[in-house]
Amino acid sequence: MRKLKEFPKIETERLILSELREEDIPLVTLYLQNKIFSDLTSNIPYPYTREHSEIWIKMSREFFENNTGYTFAIRDKEGQMIGAIGLHDREDDKAELGYWMGIPFWNKGYITEAALALIEFGFRELEVNKIYATYFLHNPASGRIMEKIGMKEEALLKQHLKKNGEYFDVMMYSVFKNIK
């Protein structure tokens, strides 16, 4: 993953993708308190606290400083945070895409719009060759997003993730810079 000197800001038709800020902590905490986020993701705990938000924002800053990831706040054009999306380095010129969106903003196409911009950013600016994402089988809506952004089903990873003492199968989708 190519190192950038400054954290980028990406604008789309309806959104601004920018660095997470301390003032985002209350909204992150509010959005992620719903148990559905823990149920549908591999790394969001429940119950979700302000301390979790503070740690996550600090880790996101460290990922950028260490050139291992870019976690963006997804903001509306007025600057209010409505979700988050990121690319995280998995070496060998590939990055993992992850995202979440506050429930009031579901089913409006925001994740699709943000993910398309982030894939372009990953290929053009970070010079990765492959971007992939996984989802729990009980979250098919995430798989539909992956299809909408041009990802193709790559593999069913059996018992790939362990959460709360239980093993889960996940589906992996990917997209490549240069299709062969």
Side-chain angles (χ1 to χ4, degrees):
M1 195 178 291
R2 191 170 74 120
K3 174 89 170 130
L4 300 181
K5 292 183 176 108
E6 291 183 11
F7 198 94
K9 180 177 173 183
I10 302 169
E11 292 202 38
T12 68
E13 183 181 337
R14 301 179 295 165
L15 304 170
I16 300 167
L17 309 181
S18 63
E19 190 169 16
L20 292 163
R21 303 185 299 243
E22 300 295 322
E23 54 264 31
D24 295 325
I25 289 172
L27 276 178
V28 172
T29 306
L30 176 69
Y31 292 147
L32 296 181
Q33 282 183 14
N34 191 307
K35 189 173 184 307
I36 196 163
F37 290 100
S38 178
D39 292 345
L40 298 181
T41 65
S42 62
N43 58 357
I44 296 175
Y46 182 81
Y48 196 87
T49 66
R50 181 180 177 88
E51 184 180 4
H52 289 118
S53 296
E54 291 167 353
I55 291 167
W56 179 62
I57 288 176
K58 181 177 182 266
M59 283 176 31
S60 296
R61 195 168 298 122
E62 289 171 2
F63 290 149
F64 171 71
E65 290 167 2
N66 297 328
N67 198 39
T68 57
Y70 291 81
T71 304
F72 292 83
I74 302 172
R75 303 181 192 283
D76 62 21
K77 288 294 186 171
E78 287 74 49
Q80 177 181 311
M81 182 182 190
I82 60 174
I85 191 164
L87 283 177
H88 294 87
D89 189 5
R90 295 298 183 247
E91 301 181 0
D92 294 334
D93 294 331
K94 62 181 175 279
E96 183 173 16
L97 175 70
Y99 45 80
W100 62 264
M101 178 64 55
I103 293 173
F105 311 103
W106 285 12
N107 300 312
K108 297 183 186 331
Y110 293 137
I111 288 291
T112 301
E113 186 174 328
L116 285 167
L118 207 55
I119 287 171
E120 181 183 332
F121 167 78
F123 290 147
R124 189 185 67 243
E125 299 297 327
L126 303 180
E127 299 176 347
V128 299
N129 179 59
K130 175 182 180 175
I131 297 172
Y132 70 95
T134 61
Y135 70 91
F136 287 133
L137 300 182
H138 59 268
N139 185 13
S142 196
R144 286 192 293 280
I145 289 168
M146 292 172 198
E147 290 171 358
K148 286 181 192 173
I149 62 175
M151 291 183 144
K152 303 286 185 223
E153 185 178 304
E154 187 170 335
L156 174 63
L157 305 174
K158 305 291 277 176
Q159 297 185 24
H160 190 71
L161 292 175
K162 184 178 181 182
K163 184 164 185 172
N164 301 327
E166 186 178 349
Y167 293 99
F168 289 91
D169 297 348
V170 295
M171 186 63 73
M172 184 166 103
Y173 275 66
S174 59
V175 63
F176 297 88
K177 184 176 187 173
N178 299 309
I179 303 291
K180 292 181 180 179

